[in-house]
Structures are given as structure tokens and as C-alpha cells.
Amino acid sequence: MRVVWTRTAIRDLVRVRRRIEHDNPIAAREVARRILDAVNKISRHPEMGRVGRLGGTRDLIVTGTPYLVPYRVHADKIHLLRVLHGRQNWPRSSGRRTPRSQRGSG
């Protein structure tokens, strides 16, 4: 299956690496590599993540790190929604934006 990174997930990965890199550049590369390796595995096994906290999602636990990657399988694509630290406060939404035409008036 094709893996699609949302902009938010990309920003999360960059932030994770920068945060760790400040103290330990080698560890930053290793954590980023582990995240990318885990993501590559779900392209072949999309159901390997546990059932997610948000409806219709799955959570990929990144072994050897405190990170997880919530994702949604849709048709022939896997949409990576975020890269989150296990202790991080979780967002209330799925990472998708509601089109303006469907938003409430306020």
C-alpha cells in the first residue's frame, strides 16, 4: 500500500528530530530511522498497528522509542496523521480538517 504523510505528521517528525538533536545528534538520527522503518513495515502490513484512540484509526507503536504514529487506512493508501510522544496530550481530531462548507457558523 502507498503511505501518505500528512503535513502535520511531517512537521511532527521534524520537530521530534530537532528536539532530540539539540542534545544528541546520533540519537536523533536513530529515532528518526526507527520511525521511518516502522512506517515502511505498515506499507506491507497495514493492520499491524493497534486499534487507535480515534475512531477509524490505528496506532503504530515505534519499538525502542516513546513515539507512536496514528494512521488511517483508506482504499489503497495509508494516511499517517501524526507522530506523537506517548505522554503527549492527544488532539481531539483525527488530523483531518473539516471543509469550510461543513463547519458550524460559530
Side-chain angles (χ1 to χ4, degrees):
M1 289 190 118
R2 184 169 160 233
V3 174
V4 178
W5 286 78
T6 62
R7 287 181 184 173
T8 305
I10 292 168
R11 276 193 300 264
D12 288 343
L13 181 59
V14 169
R15 284 182 189 137
V16 164
R17 185 159 177 172
R18 283 183 183 158
R19 188 176 313 122
I20 298 168
E21 196 169 45
H22 180 71
D23 294 325
N24 188 336
I26 294 169
R29 280 192 302 275
E30 177 64 18
V31 168
R33 185 193 60 77
R34 286 178 184 247
I35 292 169
L36 295 173
D37 287 349
V39 166
N40 285 333
K41 288 179 187 173
I42 64 167
S43 71
R44 294 183 303 276
H45 307 284
E47 302 299 318
M48 74 182 268
R50 69 181 184 198
V51 173
R53 294 183 187 186
L54 300 173
T57 66
R58 300 191 75 80
D59 292 339
L60 175 65
I61 306 302
V62 181
T63 306
T65 77
Y67 297 96
L68 54 93
V69 180
Y71 65 97
R72 179 174 282 119
V73 178
H74 182 69
D76 62 341
K77 296 178 186 163
I78 298 169
H79 295 268
L80 305 178
L81 305 174
R82 301 291 309 263
V83 176
L84 299 172
H85 191 285
R87 292 186 179 178
Q88 185 172 337
N89 286 333
W90 282 59
R92 290 190 179 134
S93 72
S94 64
R96 285 173 147 188
R97 291 183 179 216
T98 304
R100 289 179 191 244
S101 61
Q102 295 177 7
R103 292 181 192 162
S105 59

